[in-house]
Amino acid sequence: MEKTHQAHHEHYDPEASKIGMWLFIFTELLLFGAMFIIYSVYRYLNPEAFHLAGEELNTLIGAINTVILLVSSMTIAMSTSAIRKGNIWLTQQLLAITLVLALVFLVNKYFEWGSKFSHGIFPGSEYMLANYSQGEILFFGLYFVMTGLHAVHILVGMGLIIWTMIEVRQKKIHQEKYDLLENSGLYWHLVDIIWIFLFPLFYLIH
Amino acid sequence: MQESQSAIQASYLRTPGRFKGFLGWVTSTDHKRIGLLYLYSIATMFFVGMLLGLAMKLELVAPGKTLMEARDYNATFTVHGVIMIFMVVIPGLPAVFGNFLLPLMIGARDVAFPRINLLSWYFYVAGVVLILIALLFGPGTPDTGWTFYAPYSFKTGTNMLPAIFGAFILGFSSILTGLNFIVTIHRMRAPGMGWMKLPMFAWTLYGTAWIQLLATPVVGITLVLVALERLFGIGVFDPALGGDPILYQHLFWIYSHPAVYIMILPAMGAVSEIIPTFAQKQLFGYKALILSTMAIAFVGYLVWGHHMFTAGMSGTAQYAFSLLTFLVAIPSAIKVFNWISTMYKGSINMQTPFYWAASFIFVFMIGGFSGLVLGSLATNIHVHDTGFVVAHFHYIVFGGVGYSFMAAIHYWFPKIYGRMYDSHWANIGWILFFVGFVSLYTPMFWLGMKGMPRRYYDYLPEFHGANILSTFGSWILAMGFIVIVFNLIRAARSGPPVGPNPWNGKTMEWMVPSPPPVENFEEIPVVGENDGPYNYE
């Protein structure tokens, strides 16, 4: 059987793996889509409270993180171009830059969350129950869930990029066969585009 | 006979791999072995779910407490529901027969991502283990019903977290199976096999796969939110913090209504394969069946609100959901007419799979018509949350998926094992199952009309007679199930070997030896201009 499985793996169809990734991205979009529906329902029900709570978020850190993610999307896209040209060294450098940017994003996020926590703003906090309206509690509940879920996706994306870098190093990914790299890139763009929607919804609309 | 024996020796069942025995099975990425792994795990879970169902029916044999307290009854119907829905009927036909047959039907050697396919089975097992943990350990068995309705699902002190997480993982397993099937059908059809040459079962798997892919994530995130609500109190579904429990119901049913089409579409597909073989005719209305499949998959997305007619929604929304619900009946009826037309003037070969397929149509129609009673706004109010709903649901889901599954296992059994079962005992099993089924669920229609609520462990004395009949039916059904399972196990071990095509089937899977060799096809077949899907010789 082992032999025949080798035969299975030799069947190489980059188109199939890309379709697979796109289908997976659809599921991710629906996952966040449900969250966006919940957000819009509660925003519609509590416009004032969402306005007030939104002003408490740090727009500067949010904007910096947006730029970081956009740049990281660019570097991972460039890494695909680099592998097409057969430049393994440049591919690895660009992937490493993407990874570092992802890490910086998470560090920023950590400080942002940390400052909220130190002000007593977190789900289930007594301080919020005493001082905030229901709409504001909902806003911060959604803020932590949605940015938290997004951060989990960043972590998964970082894992994917590390896996890709290992395979590039092992020469499993090369000029002729780079579907894993392309798929990591697709996934990273998804993580990016979700943030592109989260940023205005939480930080900008007042 | 000699040839059949050697086919069994050379098949996927025997060929030695790196590991032997059990390990050889759980590390195999062969779609046929994965299909059987699913078959054995799903059959086991069905047996557990059936025991719980029998316990519930035994409790209802007399008014008042018979066997268990009210709380235990709540836990029993919750676990029965979770097992039967998430572990049996949703994976059911796609995971077992879809995995086994799809590559054979489209002329491929395997699915597109064999390793992800095996991974999805591991996810299934992980989900099962988590839910069993919820059952056996911790503060108490979940008692919310399989719907996990908010706010009770984060207020109850029972062991909800592993159960919710288990359901989430099972959803992931389902998504991966669907993803695999879509890519397989797009990329791996044999040369010359256009979309209009796909057998109906493959078409229904395709429709189902899209629903699995696009609906499951919504319930996934909803369950995550319930878990977060329990852990941290984020407030999204908690009315005490401004959240809206009705929103939970919407999000839950946006998945869980399409989920019944995940269950029923492949069931319809299997029946569409079986009826032509035994009517010895080509399938009638192939294109109409494809269109109705896609119509059901699409409209099925838009009807979730009919679960919530009494939960509080605007009149306009109620009318819209009711109308859309009625729309689903049209493609479903088209399918029934096509099956009947396939039989018309056919030379019907009365065999066990045909009995199951024909009784599928019978119970499916009763389930479907009673669904219209529930889809009408006025009658819905009368029978909402009564035994009527339970009877309808079991007629359509257990009747639909269960009968189709039985038809499929009796039809493809010789393909899977290369051996034949004893059809005398198979028929006895069928008639017991059928009689038991009808006497188990039909009284519940009447009980519901008379006002007996569902999910109660007790009832008024005037409902006693019908409940006795129902409990009695549950025993006959269980007896039938045991006869069927023993008959099939015996046949799988020592039934007489049969040739590649004992039923004279005309689809591609019957063109390879039974059981199929590991590689399915020695050479990938080329489908000609006039070939298929129902005229391979």
Side-chain angles (χ1 to χ4, degrees):
Chain A
M1 180 164 302
E2 189 49 27
K3 245 183 196 164
T4 59
H5 283 172
Q6 287 301 331
H8 284 168
H9 295 160
E10 276 165 23
H11 169 84
Y12 170 61
D13 183 0
E15 194 65 24
S17 72
K18 241 197 285 184
I19 297 177
M21 193 65 207
W22 272 109
L23 293 174
F24 185 70
I25 285 176
F26 289 171
T27 71
E28 293 278 11
L29 288 178
L30 276 147
L31 189 92
F32 277 95
M35 291 298 322
F36 286 126
I37 286 178
I38 296 174
Y39 174 92
S40 31
V41 167
Y42 289 132
R43 172 143 214 138
Y44 172 78
L45 292 175
N46 311 284
E48 313 253 303
F50 270 51
H51 175 93
L52 282 175
E55 288 191 338
E56 291 195 31
L57 293 183
N58 190 331
T59 314
L60 181 66
I61 298 192
I64 291 173
N65 264 349
T66 309
V67 174
I68 288 173
L69 273 195
L70 283 174
V71 173
S72 75
S73 249
M74 184 183 73
T75 51
I76 202 163
M78 284 161 71
S79 77
T80 312
S81 308
I83 199 96
R84 272 195 204 126
K85 292 188 172 137
N87 192 338
I88 300 283
W89 180 83
L90 187 60
T91 308
Q92 292 287 53
Q93 296 305 312
L94 287 164
L95 284 173
I97 294 172
T98 314
L99 207 56
V100 170
L101 288 171
L103 201 63
V104 174
F105 177 93
L106 285 182
V107 169
N108 281 346
K109 202 84 233 158
Y110 170 80
F111 283 114
E112 207 185 345
W113 273 36
S115 92
K116 287 281 166 295
F117 273 57
S118 63
H119 287 94
I121 297 175
F122 52 87
S125 99
E126 302 280 323
Y127 170 78
M128 281 188 85
L129 278 177
N131 297 297
Y132 284 80
S133 72
Q134 288 192 333
E136 286 167 296
I137 293 176
L138 277 177
F139 178 92
F140 282 109
L142 286 169
Y143 165 77
F144 283 113
V145 172
M146 290 173 82
T147 56
L149 199 63
H150 179 258
V152 171
H153 280 77
I154 296 261
L155 284 174
V156 173
M158 288 170 74
L160 259 178
I161 293 170
I162 291 171
W163 180 24
T164 313
M165 288 175 75
I166 292 172
E167 291 223 338
V168 173
R169 197 192 169 93
Q170 293 173 342
K171 304 206 164 55
K172 284 184 189 166
I173 295 177
H174 46 77
Q175 196 167 4
E176 267 79 49
K177 182 176 182 296
Y178 50 88
D179 52 322
L180 178 65
L181 175 59
E182 268 194 311
N183 279 343
S184 308
L186 275 175
Y187 187 83
W188 195 251
H189 295 324
L190 167 85
V191 173
D192 190 15
I193 202 153
I194 289 169
W195 180 256
I196 298 292
F197 282 94
L198 289 179
F199 176 57
L201 283 181
F202 283 107
Y203 295 81
L204 295 185
I205 310 175
H206 288 322
Chain B
M1 192 60 69
Q2 206 67 40
E3 261 175 51
S4 318
Q5 276 293 1
S6 63
I8 293 176
Q9 289 305 329
S11 75
Y12 73 99
L13 290 167
R14 294 292 164 78
T15 315
R18 183 162 34 159
F19 299 110
K20 295 230 181 318
F22 181 74
L23 260 183
W25 281 82
V26 298
T27 57
S28 168
T29 54
D30 184 339
H31 67 101
K32 300 181 284 299
R33 288 196 164 198
I34 294 171
L36 289 195
L37 288 176
Y38 269 115
L39 174 64
Y40 303 142
S41 22
I42 288 174
T44 311
M45 291 326 289
F46 177 81
F47 190 71
V48 176
M50 187 179 81
L51 290 180
L52 293 165
L54 286 171
M56 268 148 51
K57 279 286 125 189
L58 192 57
E59 165 60 38
L60 291 177
V61 74
K65 184 193 160 193
T66 330
L67 186 66
M68 51 182 117
E69 297 291 343
R71 218 208 76 77
D72 297 326
Y73 187 79
N74 292 352
T76 311
F77 74 66
T78 302
V79 179
H80 170 81
V82 169
I83 287 179
M84 288 303 204
I85 299 279
F86 293 114
M87 303 180 198
V88 179
V89 285
I90 289 181
L93 281 132
V96 178
F97 296 106
N99 266 323
F100 195 93
L101 293 167
L102 181 63
L104 291 169
M105 282 180 158
I106 64 172
R109 294 205 198 278
D110 208 321
V111 292
F113 308 116
R115 279 183 295 182
I116 292 183
N117 204 14
L118 182 62
L119 181 69
S120 85
W121 181 72
Y122 279 112
F123 276 135
Y124 175 87
V125 173
V128 168
V129 168
L130 272 170
I131 290 177
L132 292 182
I133 287 173
L135 284 186
L136 302 174
F137 304 103
T141 311
D143 57 351
T144 58
W146 75 276
T147 45
F148 304 130
Y149 265 15
Y152 185 60
S153 53
F154 49 83
K155 297 283 181 205
T156 173
T158 54
N159 212 358
M160 290 304 295
L161 278 178
I164 289 173
F165 195 51
F168 181 82
I169 302 257
L170 287 170
F172 215 78
S173 153
S174 176
I175 287 176
L176 290 180
T177 302
L179 190 150
N180 227 329
F181 286 176
I182 294 178
V183 179
T184 306
I185 292 174
H186 272 278
R187 297 296 299 174
M188 300 186 74
R189 281 170 289 137
M193 180 175 277
W195 285 91
M196 285 299 133
K197 289 181 191 286
L198 275 185
M200 263 325 288
F201 187 60
W203 264 110
T204 52
L205 286 175
Y206 186 70
T208 289
W210 274 107
I211 308 177
Q212 285 175 306
L213 205 68
L214 297 183
T216 317
V218 180
V219 82
I221 187 69
T222 311
L223 292 177
V224 168
L225 286 172
V226 170
L228 292 176
E229 194 79 70
R230 266 187 95 82
L231 287 170
F232 305 115
I234 48 172
V236 182
F237 299 131
D238 188 353
L241 297 173
D244 184 2
I246 307 280
L247 189 60
Y248 172 85
Q249 296 188 18
H250 277 291
L251 291 167
F252 180 81
W253 289 114
I254 284 174
Y255 163 75
S256 297
H257 193 80
V260 307
Y261 299 106
I262 296 180
M263 307 163 194
I264 203 71
L265 283 179
M268 292 166 155
V271 167
S272 308
E273 298 292 322
I274 291 163
I275 286 177
T277 301
F278 292 94
Q280 312 201 39
K281 277 178 66 192
Q282 288 222 7
L283 183 64
F284 181 86
Y286 171 69
K287 283 184 182 159
L289 280 168
I290 294 172
L291 280 178
S292 56
T293 300
M294 292 301 140
I296 292 175
F298 176 70
V299 183
Y301 263 100
L302 310 172
V303 302
W304 77 86
H306 67 215
H307 293 267
M308 306 163 52
F309 281 151
T310 60
M313 63 165 84
S314 75
T316 320
Q318 288 187 333
Y319 289 134
F321 281 124
S322 179
L323 178 73
L324 287 162
T325 304
F326 272 73
L327 276 184
V328 183
I330 297 171
S332 309
I334 289 174
K335 283 181 178 284
V336 172
F337 285 120
N338 277 316
W339 295 326
I340 306 289
S341 310
T342 307
M343 292 181 219
Y344 179 66
K345 284 193 174 166
S347 166
I348 291 177
N349 179 12
M350 297 293 268
Q351 300 275 6
T352 318
F354 184 80
Y355 289 128
W356 281 108
S359 49
F360 163 86
I361 298 178
F362 178 78
V363 291
F364 175 72
M365 279 174 59
I366 295 181
F369 286 131
S370 58
L372 295 179
V373 176
L374 289 161
S376 319
L377 293 173
T379 44
N380 181 285
I381 304 293
H382 181 66
V383 290
H384 198 96
D385 259 340
T386 66
F388 191 92
V389 178
V390 182
H392 155 72
F393 183 74
H394 283 81
Y395 256 97
I396 203 102
V397 170
F398 186 22
V401 179
Y403 279 63
S404 174
F405 196 94
M406 287 295 187
I409 189 77
H410 284 93
Y411 178 57
W412 281 298
F413 189 88
K415 175 54 63 188
I416 295 174
Y417 293 100
R419 298 174 186 276
M420 188 51 95
Y421 49 83
D422 181 339
S423 45
H424 175 69
W425 280 103
N427 290 342
I428 291 178
W430 166 73
I431 193 76
L432 283 172
F433 195 98
F434 184 71
V435 170
F437 181 92
V438 172
S439 47
L440 166 55
Y441 296 115
T442 315
M444 293 168 90
F445 279 126
W446 181 82
L447 287 166
M449 296 286 258
K450 292 289 174 192
M452 180 176 156
R454 67 180 184 147
R455 293 180 166 179
Y456 279 32
Y457 87 125
D458 193 7
Y459 51 84
L460 297 172
E462 64 251 42
F463 297 143
H464 195 187
N467 270 304
I468 290 179
L469 179 59
S470 179
T471 306
F472 194 60
S474 73
W475 299 339
I476 303 178
L477 187 145
M479 258 163 36
F481 180 73
I482 289 167
V483 169
I484 292 162
V485 169
F486 269 94
N487 189 35
L488 290 182
I489 290 178
R490 200 180 55 179
R493 289 169 167 271
S494 58
V498 286
N501 191 359
W503 311 118
N504 197 18
K506 296 283 201 296
T507 35
M508 195 183 274
E509 79 269 23
W510 296 107
M511 302 300 119
V512 295
S514 302
V518 180
E519 289 282 289
N520 294 351
F521 301 92
E522 270 177 37
E523 273 178 46
I524 294 293
V526 176
V527 179
E529 190 75 11
N530 299 315
D531 288 345
Y534 290 100
N535 62 2
Y536 297 100
E537 294 284 355

